[in-house]
Amino acid sequence: AQKITQTQPGMFVQEKEAVTLDCTYDTSDQSYGLFWYKQPSSGEMIFLIYQGSYDEQNATEGRYSLNFQKARKSANLVISASQLGDSAMYFCAMRERGGGADGLTFGKGTHLIIQP
Amino acid sequence: DVKVTQSSRYLVKRTGEKVFLECVQDMDHENMFWYRQDPGLGLRLIYFSYDVKMKEKGDIPEGYSVSREKKERFSLILESASTNQTSMYLCASSSYETGISYNEQFFGPGTRLTVL
């Protein structure tokens, strides 16, 4: 079974609209962390936002927020007021256990295209 | 400014060649990682290292080995390159943290390897 599922391979959104990118995860650990990364066409991975499993508040970073629903194992990324520069691949990822030495498990990504 | 650098952006090799992909970080991070990225599959962890001379297999280690002789450098080795190893290879690093906590992985720009 996939540990991270992103069900939207591609999305087209009008500029200035809000965008929700879906992510569900599967883990039996109580402690885990969830990440979202952006990858523009240039290829670099840009960290956007982090949510810890014990964080009670949804994470926010500027125009990015994470809609964390622990019981549903859902960690959707919300981008408010989308911009043309938001066009990119977006990856949801999870780290299980502690220590930080373990790698991230990534979803297959969502290709977001913002249209003028 | 934090930096993870990779020795080449583009590399073309022939089947059977021994290939070295080099990664260097200047953040004094304990952890380093190698991922490969393929369309529709997201990023998959090949190997990671949490200390000099220490290494752990990730999800897809077959056909690869790694070397970490110095803290700042982590090399990925393809002993005998094959066409199915044509891919984008991404290196990342992070500091060591106990417990689950925000622990961002910083990525290099990637090496696009083509094996003919």
Side-chain angles (χ1 to χ4, degrees):
Chain A
Q2 286 186 51
K3 291 211 166 191
I4 297 286
T5 302
Q6 296 181 250
T7 57
Q8 307 148 310
M11 287 184 72
F12 289 87
V13 173
Q14 288 294 122
E15 190 180 6
K16 299 193 178 92
E17 287 184 357
V19 182
T20 297
L21 304 181
D22 295 339
C23 173
T24 57
Y25 59 92
D26 182 26
T27 181
S28 56
D29 287 356
Q30 297 301 308
S31 294
Y32 52 89
L34 297 157
F35 300 75
W36 277 92
Y37 281 84
K38 172 184 178 181
Q39 187 181 43
S41 57
S42 51
E44 75 271 28
M45 295 288 284
I46 302 167
F47 166 76
L48 295 178
I49 197 165
Y50 168 83
Q51 181 85 41
S53 59
Y54 292 119
D55 295 340
E56 294 186 354
Q57 304 261 3
N58 284 344
T60 59
E61 289 286 348
R63 293 187 301 114
Y64 304 107
S65 60
L66 200 152
N67 184 1
F68 182 47
Q69 298 187 43
K70 194 170 180 177
R72 297 180 59 188
K73 293 188 175 177
S74 165
N76 298 340
L77 177 71
V78 179
I79 306 174
S80 63
S82 58
Q83 302 171 356
L84 296 178
D86 294 332
S87 295
M89 284 291 293
Y90 287 81
F91 292 97
C92 180
M94 176 173 65
R95 192 180 79 241
E96 298 168 280
R97 303 185 290 276
D102 297 317
L104 296 173
T105 301
F106 283 83
K108 295 182 179 182
T110 296
H111 189 190
L112 176 64
I113 297 173
I114 308 296
Q115 297 174 310
Chain B
D1 198 17
V2 297
K3 273 277 194 219
V4 179
T5 56
Q6 295 183 229
S7 50
S8 307
R9 286 304 301 269
Y10 299 93
L11 207 54
V12 180
K13 295 292 182 180
R14 296 213 173 269
T15 302
E17 279 193 75
K18 190 169 185 175
V19 181
F20 291 87
L21 302 182
E22 306 283 345
C23 175
V24 177
Q25 51 95 4
D26 65 0
M27 295 164 281
D28 201 35
H29 282 165
E30 291 79 12
N31 305 324
M32 296 188 75
F33 308 85
W34 275 106
Y35 296 88
R36 69 176 277 176
Q37 182 180 10
D38 300 289
L41 296 178
L43 281 75
R44 293 176 292 167
L45 181 66
I46 304 171
Y47 267 98
F48 65 95
S49 168
Y50 53 90
D51 201 354
V52 174
K53 296 192 186 295
M54 306 303 290
K55 60 186 179 184
E56 293 284 343
K57 292 180 180 178
D59 299 318
I60 52 164
E62 297 77 21
Y64 304 94
S65 62
V66 290
S67 173
R68 190 156 181 213
E69 296 295 320
K70 292 185 177 182
K71 189 176 185 180
E72 68 271 17
R73 188 179 296 269
F74 192 35
S75 302
L76 181 69
I77 304 157
L78 288 65
E79 294 289 341
S80 179
S82 63
T83 55
N84 63 12
Q85 293 177 309
T86 292
S87 187
M88 169 73 91
Y89 291 87
L90 289 157
C91 175
S93 73
S94 69
S95 58
Y96 181 85
E97 299 285 344
T98 56
I100 284 287
S101 64
Y102 166 77
N103 190 19
E104 179 186 347
Q105 288 191 11
F106 295 86
F107 283 83
T111 296
R112 190 167 292 282
L113 173 67
T114 302
V115 183
L116 302 175

